[in-house]
Amino acid sequence: MKFKIISILILFLLLISSAVSAQYLEVALVSDVGGFKDRSYNQQLRNSLNKVAESLNLKTAYRESELMTEYQDNLNYFAENNFDLIWGVGFSMEQAVKEAAQMYPKTNFVLFDGIVEEENVMSLTFNKKEEGFLAGVVAALASENAKVSFIGGQKTEKIGHYQIGFETGVKSVNSEIEIISRYVGSFNDFSAAKEISAELAAENVDLIFYAAGPSSRGIIETALEKNIKLISLDAADIELAPNNMITAVLKNTDHLVKMLIENYSNDNYINEIKEFGLADNAFVLEQDQLSDMLSREKRTKIEEYKQQFLAGEIEIPSAP
């Protein structure tokens, strides 16, 4: 009888152990070639997942890609090991995520800042006009010469959205500020970017918001030489010009990652192509840098203009 009771207890404990184990949500992140020390979205997403893991029953794993050719193997590795959610980062991973999703149709994938049209992929995209709007508000409050600029890489529809939003944000604060928008013609032309930004400095522009990829290094170099203030889309740029960078407009990965993981855990998760914006709390300003560069009064003003936009009092046009 005693042996039978012990056996029942052991079986009961095994069942409990199995149930607890099954409650774990296994989430994996594959970096793009920037790696997990890029001070950008690979690193941000890893940090955000680690934070979520502390508050939820979450098991996390990571694989860093040194080459683009490694994307597929890294994604496949996690799919073959039955992870619940597998994250990829950026448009450069779109093809690899698409192929992995087709190979493993019962596995759920998440692509951050990219689009894959597969039934088992959640594509997180972002409203670039609203990102630009936030940058424009900051620029108008930070400019001393009432003359600011937007510099884009190639003149595409997506990059043009940054321009439209930026111009709207600036004008919503001060309609008298002059805005000069320019395009490098390439995301990889350091010299052209440096030349354009030097021309803007000669025209008395004192602040530049840019979305120019690697060409941005030319803009930053001119800013250091000509004492121009900057607004970036990449937190890593702050280290390159800490005395020039007002702030960086960033995706709010802490909020977005937590929201998606909780939705998945609560069976409220839908694989779709979804655009996130200010109403979703999708963007944040790098606050440490902003606090050093702008007064408390001006930082409060930024939030006021954001709320005006959310209330429908400010509208971003569809075209310049």
Side-chain angles (χ1 to χ4, degrees), residues 220-238:
I220 294 170
E221 188 167 303
T222 296
L224 292 168
E225 295 170 357
K226 305 293 185 181
N227 194 30
I228 297 174
K229 299 302 182 186
L230 300 169
I231 299 174
S232 176
L233 292 166
D234 192 338
D237 288 354
I238 294 173

Side-chain angles (χ1 to χ4, degrees), residues 172-238:
S172 67
V173 176
N174 185 349
S175 61
E176 301 300 317
I177 293 180
E178 183 178 351
I179 307 168
I180 303 174
S181 294
R182 300 283 299 275
Y183 285 84
V184 178
S186 168
F187 290 108
N188 295 288
D189 195 333
F190 173 95
S191 297
K194 192 173 190 312
E195 182 179 342
I196 288 170
S197 47
E199 291 171 358
L200 293 169
E203 294 185 49
N204 210 31
V205 166
D206 70 343
L207 187 146
I208 298 173
F209 167 55
Y210 56 89
S215 294
S216 302
R217 294 301 178 96
I219 300 167
I220 294 170
E221 188 167 303
T222 296
L224 292 168
E225 295 170 357
K226 305 293 185 181
N227 194 30
I228 297 174
K229 299 302 182 186
L230 300 169
I231 299 174
S232 176
L233 292 166
D234 192 338
D237 288 354
I238 294 173

Side-chain angles (χ1 to χ4, degrees), residues 41-279:
Y41 291 114
N42 292 295
Q43 186 172 349
Q44 273 188 248
L45 285 167
R46 179 169 183 161
N47 291 343
S48 295
L49 281 168
N50 286 337
K51 288 178 185 177
V52 173
E54 292 174 3
S55 59
L56 299 176
N57 205 12
L58 197 68
K59 176 184 176 181
T60 56
Y62 308 96
R63 296 200 86 171
E64 193 168 56
S65 307
E66 295 183 3
L67 300 170
M68 292 178 68
T69 52
E70 295 175 359
Y71 293 167
Q72 197 70 65
D73 287 343
N74 287 337
L75 292 165
N76 292 355
Y77 170 83
F78 288 123
E80 288 167 4
N81 283 278
N82 300 314
F83 274 73
D84 298 295
L85 282 176
I86 302 171
W87 291 63
V89 186
F91 68 90
S92 70
M93 292 187 72
E94 287 178 345
Q95 186 59 34
V97 170
K98 183 180 181 67
E99 291 182 16
Q102 291 172 345
M103 291 172 63
Y104 304 95
K106 294 183 179 180
T107 301
N108 289 298
F109 295 85
V110 180
L111 182 59
F112 182 87
D113 206 14
I115 296 176
V116 169
E117 296 183 10
E118 294 292 335
E119 291 184 358
N120 55 331
V121 179
M122 170 68 160
S123 297
L124 280 70
T125 67
F126 297 91
N127 190 310
K128 292 174 173 54
K129 290 181 183 179
E130 295 180 13
E131 282 183 270
F133 171 81
L134 205 53
V137 170
V138 175
L141 293 168
S143 176
E144 296 177 358
N145 297 348
K147 201 167 188 179
V148 301
S149 179
F150 167 74
I151 298 181
Q154 291 180 325
K155 194 167 186 177
T156 64
E157 182 180 2
K158 289 182 179 179
I159 300 301
H161 285 178
Y162 285 122
Q163 177 190 339
I164 296 167
F166 178 72
E167 292 173 352
T168 303
V170 170
K171 293 297 184 181
S172 67
V173 176
N174 185 349
S175 61
E176 301 300 317
I177 293 180
E178 183 178 351
I179 307 168
I180 303 174
S181 294
R182 300 283 299 275
Y183 285 84
V184 178
S186 168
F187 290 108
N188 295 288
D189 195 333
F190 173 95
S191 297
K194 192 173 190 312
E195 182 179 342
I196 288 170
S197 47
E199 291 171 358
L200 293 169
E203 294 185 49
N204 210 31
V205 166
D206 70 343
L207 187 146
I208 298 173
F209 167 55
Y210 56 89
S215 294
S216 302
R217 294 301 178 96
I219 300 167
I220 294 170
E221 188 167 303
T222 296
L224 292 168
E225 295 170 357
K226 305 293 185 181
N227 194 30
I228 297 174
K229 299 302 182 186
L230 300 169
I231 299 174
S232 176
L233 292 166
D234 192 338
D237 288 354
I238 294 173
E239 288 187 356
L240 301 176
N243 296 320
N244 301 74
M245 202 72 64
I246 300 296
T247 190
V249 184
L250 307 174
K251 276 79 171 177
N252 191 358
T253 56
D254 283 356
H255 169 70
L256 295 170
V257 167
K258 185 178 181 182
M259 179 184 67
L260 260 66
I261 298 296
E262 287 181 341
N263 286 348
Y264 191 93
S265 299
N266 298 327
D267 293 326
N268 192 31
Y269 176 90
I270 301 173
N271 282 316
E272 60 182 337
I273 298 170
K274 181 170 174 57
E275 183 179 74
F276 293 87
L278 288 173

